[in-house]
Amino acid sequence: MTRTTRVASIAAALALAPIALAAAQAAEIKVISANGLRDVLADVTPAFESTTGHKLATTITETGEIKQRILGGASYDVIVLPQATADELAKLGHVAAASMVPVIRVNFGMAVRAGGPKPDVSSAEAFKRSLLAAKSILITDPATGGISGVHFMSVLERLGIVDEMKAKLVPHRGGGFHAERIAKGEADLAVQAEHEIRCVPGVEFVPYPAEFQRTIVFMAGRGATPKEAAGLREGADASANLLIQFLRGPQTVQAIKARCLQPG
């Protein structure tokens, strides 16, 4: 082999080394996320996988279901949850608290058909009358732990009309935008997160009265056993940390805004 041939062979090997290293280090990252980040994760997964070589195995479900799974012994590399639930699981040792970062901020409100009558949100009493006048209201079933449904039930409790409203509520389990059914004329109102309303054609977003407004921050963190959460496995979760960083990066921020959401 001539000197020129040897140099060319070495150069080729060096060029292939990063690819071989990436392949050797590629991992499957188990992710579980509340519905708030469903579409964003779907949008950014191809870019993350092609850039890093890692693969995401993602489960999307309601907050209450995630909590039940984790307390039942299920393990995930990355967990995305509303902050209150994430903090609770971190205290119990199921999320590494030091790894948690905010990803999105979510407000809540109502969807009405574009051009149709809107509930009066000028005061709590006016809002109460509007709700009582509605024939049907689509909500995320609060039994699933879905934040928009849980919050709406708390609003009804504060207004003192839970019993009067029970027959008007149409609970829904699973993902999807309730506002799409409003656009079809299937109900008077839908209650959901703001982005799940603003991104649906044919409907308008109506905020709650100021005293009932609420903002939820969704946190991404590394899943852990109690010992790992205490820092006894430092450095062992590089791929999970890489994904968490990516969820705060410019590509994800762009996807968040495109989905009518606010970055955390």
Side-chain angles (χ1 to χ4, degrees):
M1 181 182 292
T2 66
R3 181 176 182 279
T4 301
T5 303
R6 286 198 301 272
V7 170
S9 298
I10 293 170
L14 290 174
L16 290 172
I19 298 174
L21 181 61
Q25 294 177 338
E28 180 182 80
I29 305 172
K30 290 178 64 179
V31 181
I32 191 164
S33 172
N35 277 317
L37 220 67
R38 173 188 297 272
D39 293 325
V40 172
L41 283 171
D43 291 341
V44 303
T45 290
F48 177 80
E49 292 182 341
S50 64
T51 300
T52 66
H54 301 313
K55 298 296 180 183
L56 301 186
T58 304
T59 300
I60 307 290
T61 188
E62 298 290 357
T63 297
E65 172 65 20
I66 294 174
K67 181 178 175 180
Q68 289 177 8
R69 289 190 185 196
I70 292 173
L71 293 180
S75 63
Y76 300 91
D77 300 307
V78 175
I79 301 168
V80 185
L81 283 168
Q83 186 168 9
T85 306
D87 287 344
E88 180 183 354
L89 290 174
K91 289 178 181 177
L92 294 172
H94 296 288
V95 179
S99 70
M100 290 166 51
V101 296
V103 179
I104 59 171
R105 304 175 68 85
V106 175
N107 297 314
F108 300 94
M110 298 162 287
V112 298
R113 198 170 187 181
K118 298 179 181 179
D120 187 342
V121 295
S122 60
S123 68
E125 280 302 314
F127 184 43
K128 178 178 178 179
R129 289 193 297 270
S130 293
L131 293 178
L132 290 171
K135 294 180 180 178
S136 58
I137 301 176
L138 303 175
I139 68 168
T140 298
D141 191 341
T144 67
I147 300 300
S148 63
V150 172
H151 176 57
F152 185 64
M153 293 307 298
S154 74
V155 171
L156 298 184
E157 288 175 6
R158 290 172 62 184
L159 290 171
I161 56 172
V162 172
D163 290 339
E164 293 93 326
M165 294 297 298
K166 282 181 179 178
K168 301 174 184 288
L169 303 182
V170 183
H172 177 78
R173 289 175 175 259
F177 293 168
H178 307 337
E180 292 174 347
R181 294 173 62 186
I182 295 298
K184 297 175 184 177
E186 296 180 12
D188 296 338
L189 296 172
V191 174
Q192 213 163 15
E194 182 174 1
H195 70 282
E196 293 170 315
I197 297 170
R198 289 198 183 277
C199 275
V200 175
V203 301
E204 296 180 49
F205 175 75
V206 180
Y208 290 125
E211 59 262 53
F212 301 120
Q213 289 177 11
R214 184 183 181 191
T215 299
I216 300 292
V217 178
F218 281 69
M219 308 292 288
R222 199 175 65 246
T225 68
K227 286 185 178 180
E228 293 162 1
L232 301 184
R233 205 174 112 184
E234 184 177 356
D237 297 290
S239 58
N241 290 335
L242 188 64
L243 175 59
I244 292 170
Q245 293 171 11
F246 185 84
L247 293 178
R248 295 269 290 170
Q251 283 181 287
T252 304
V253 168
Q254 183 178 358
I256 287 170
K257 292 179 178 178
R259 290 292 183 176
C260 305
L261 282 158
Q262 302 175 51

